Amino acid sequence: MTWWRFGVLYQIYPRSFADSDGDGVGDLAGIIAHLDHLRGSPRSLGVDGLWLSPIYPSPQADYGYDISDHCAVDPLYGDLATFDRLVAEAHARDLRVLLDLVPGHTSAEHPWFREARMSRAAPRREWYIWADPAPDGRPPNNWESAFGGPAWTLDEATEQYYLHSFYPEQPDLNWRNPAVRRALGEVTAFWLARGVDGFRVDAIDRSMKDPLLRDNPAGVGVAAGVPLSPGGQLPLWNKGRPETLDVVRALRQAADVARPGTLLLGEAYVPVDRLGRYLGERAGEAFDLAFDFDFLLSPWDADRLRLAVEGSEAHLPPHAWACRAFSNHDNPRHATRYGAAVNRAAALLLLTLRGTPVLYMGEEIGMEDVRLPGDARDRAGRDSQRTPMQWQDIPGGGFTAGQPWLPVGDTSAANVAAQRDDPGSLLAFYRRLIAERHSSEALGSGTQRMLDTARGDGVVAFLRESEGERLLVVVSCAGRGATVDLVAAARGRIPPEGRVRVSTDGDRSDAERVSVASLALAPNEGLIVEL
Ligand code: TEU
């Protein structure tokens, strides 16, 4: 089985992971110095791969998602030699490295766009998407940027609007132009030649737009889970277009030519029943994985989580494999959304489900969103979940010796140093779950079957089975104790008793025998039971 099916991925937001030179911003040398946290020592988490949010030269209007040079490292973070050292050090620990590939747009400062905006006849004009103003001078249509406001900005000099799905500083590339496909293919090859193992591919659902530039309708009466634009519009014509599969195929081909087996993990904010479009009809044709945002955006509610999990199992094409995270750099942290009381149960759920789990830096120590005193840095309001990694309980959190670019949260309990050697810590619990996942065939690759627990019980329960191993996972999402009959929920398919393998509840001992016909659960308890 491929490494990423068994594997656990870990997202690093480079600005905020570790600062080696005291400028208050994280950097590659800082990451290298902390690789042991991830893998390679007995106290490591034990993850299999890391994903770095963008490290390329950038004016930082969208903190690196506005790239001005795809084939270099921003001096804030280091240089190519340091990057090569990072890859070597990671590989020496058997830790894979994924970069963030941003195919949909560049920075407005990118030489391609500077050239494109020089004149209507500029050779690279058609690398971006231009349109004449409407007869009344307004934008060509009503499309909205994902961050709010019109998705069009007038270029005064050439008197045409350019399209930007995100900030005006991020003009959209024109993926209908073969030269753009080639250029991004070359970017992929550049980094694969430096040894990277794959890419997380940014905002793929925005890469294709209606060539007629038709107006979007208002999002009235649409199904829950379909994300609307900030102004309430249904992004029918500028997002999730069927032609997007061509873009993914082009990236796949470029990656395979440079290095077969490259992992491509796509980001598409679409309901899970539409993810298949990005995964192709056959394995190896498109993305290997695509984030399940129904899961990430679900509240801590048993019925909703069950639906999200079963939705992905049922809707993904048979060759595909789910990919789930509870937190990332774009959304409030789950410790804050759900409350710290459920951190362990959430970890147990994420790390026992069939599919590749992705951790967001800091969740393993229970980091929470940090409320900022005014002065936001990110215009889209995402600073709170991007604050520095908390290594130690000292000023600067062990992240920096200087002034951190964003304030450091409460480090009194949530810090790596305090938790690393404490067997009762959240960090130790994550380490344990990852180790279980690696050593258990049922958890790594076994089948999954949800038990039909009663609605309102507040319990998610499922079987993970492989030849010779049968595990029952039970997670209570209820803030009160509950007693459930899982034999009935399994329609009699399981024995009435089992043995505890892992529990979120310190009061239970490993190998304790429990009745699953009448299982008494503590509030927000999670359990792995061997049947
Ligand atoms: O995000 C894509 C995306 O759809 C975001 O608009 C997302 O919906 C929003 O941030 C949720 O708050 C990716 C990156 O993850 C994000 O950081 C970038 O800003 C964006 O693309 C543009 O590159």
Side-chain angles (χ1 to χ4, degrees), residues 62 65 105 146-147 166 200 202 267 269 329-330 382 386:
D62 190 14
Y65 285 95
H105 47 269
F147 296 142
F166 297 94
R200 175 266 191 185
D202 186 70
E267 183 212 32
Y269 272 86
H329 65 297
D330 288 333
R382 297 165 296 181
R386 297 176 174 181

Side-chain angles (χ1 to χ4, degrees), residues 237-309:
W237 296 111
N238 59 340
K239 185 178 171 215
R241 305 296 312 140
E243 306 95 298
T244 312
L245 185 55
D246 299 341
V247 178
V248 183
R249 283 205 191 101
L251 293 171
R252 172 92 266 162
Q253 276 161 17
D256 278 355
V257 168
R259 187 202 262 227
T262 298
L263 170 59
L264 295 182
L265 160 56
E267 183 212 32
Y269 272 86
V270 299
V272 76
D273 57 358
R274 301 195 195 163
L275 267 191
R277 175 171 299 178
Y278 308 90
L279 295 161
E281 276 159 26
R282 288 169 287 105
E285 179 197 357
F287 287 146
D288 302 294
L289 297 171
F291 285 108
D292 175 355
F293 284 105
D294 285 359
F295 183 82
L296 187 142
L297 299 170
S298 170
W300 184 249
D301 172 279
D303 295 329
R304 294 285 297 276
L305 286 165
R306 174 181 168 184
L307 191 63
V309 171

Side-chain angles (χ1 to χ4, degrees), residues 68-332:
S68 53
D69 179 356
H70 292 92
C71 298
V73 172
D74 194 296
L76 258 180
Y77 301 132
D79 53 23
L80 281 173
T82 316
F83 179 77
D84 291 342
R85 198 153 60 79
L86 193 164
V87 173
E89 292 268 355
H91 285 173
R93 289 168 172 79
D94 203 18
L95 178 68
R96 310 306 213 280
V97 178
L98 309 188
L99 286 181
D100 211 311
L101 186 70
V102 184
H105 47 269
T106 65
S107 163
E109 302 300 317
H110 196 291
W112 297 343
F113 190 69
R114 285 170 181 260
E115 204 181 305
R117 78 189 311 176
M118 294 218 298
S119 81
R120 291 191 183 201
R124 286 215 167 87
R125 184 74 172 178
E126 301 308 322
W127 283 42
Y128 294 86
I129 299 173
W130 300 91
D132 289 333
D136 65 2
R138 289 193 302 155
N141 67 19
N142 72 354
W143 295 353
E144 290 175 339
S145 132
F147 296 142
W152 298 96
T153 291
L154 185 65
D155 179 57
E156 309 264 346
T158 58
E159 294 180 323
Q160 278 191 314
Y161 281 91
Y162 66 88
L163 184 67
H164 50 86
S165 293
F166 297 94
Y167 293 129
E169 292 92 332
Q170 294 166 292
D172 280 13
L173 283 164
N174 174 12
W175 269 86
R176 294 184 192 271
N177 182 343
V180 167
R181 294 176 185 223
R182 275 196 300 276
L184 266 293
E186 281 162 19
V187 169
T188 320
F190 174 86
W191 292 105
L192 288 170
R194 300 197 96 89
V196 310
D197 302 280
F199 301 93
R200 175 266 191 185
V201 184
D202 186 70
I204 196 69
D205 48 325
R206 300 268 179 183
S207 57
M208 277 287 184
K209 292 94 187 170
D210 177 36
L212 296 180
L213 306 181
R214 278 170 277 193
D215 284 311
N216 282 327
V220 283
V222 290
V226 177
L228 302 178
S229 295
Q233 166 181 111
L234 182 67
L236 199 59
W237 296 111
N238 59 340
K239 185 178 171 215
R241 305 296 312 140
E243 306 95 298
T244 312
L245 185 55
D246 299 341
V247 178
V248 183
R249 283 205 191 101
L251 293 171
R252 172 92 266 162
Q253 276 161 17
D256 278 355
V257 168
R259 187 202 262 227
T262 298
L263 170 59
L264 295 182
L265 160 56
E267 183 212 32
Y269 272 86
V270 299
V272 76
D273 57 358
R274 301 195 195 163
L275 267 191
R277 175 171 299 178
Y278 308 90
L279 295 161
E281 276 159 26
R282 288 169 287 105
E285 179 197 357
F287 287 146
D288 302 294
L289 297 171
F291 285 108
D292 175 355
F293 284 105
D294 285 359
F295 183 82
L296 187 142
L297 299 170
S298 170
W300 184 249
D301 172 279
D303 295 329
R304 294 285 297 276
L305 286 165
R306 174 181 168 184
L307 191 63
V309 171
E310 288 200 276
S312 67
E313 285 285 300
H315 288 298
L316 294 187
H319 68 78
W321 184 256
C323 179
R324 300 187 186 88
F326 268 133
S327 290
N328 66 22
H329 65 297
D330 288 333
N331 294 282

Side-chain angles (χ1 to χ4, degrees), residues 431-442:
R431 185 190 296 138
R432 168 88 196 275
L433 287 168
I434 294 170
E436 287 290 342
R437 193 180 169 90
H438 284 147
S439 63
S440 154
E441 208 178 302

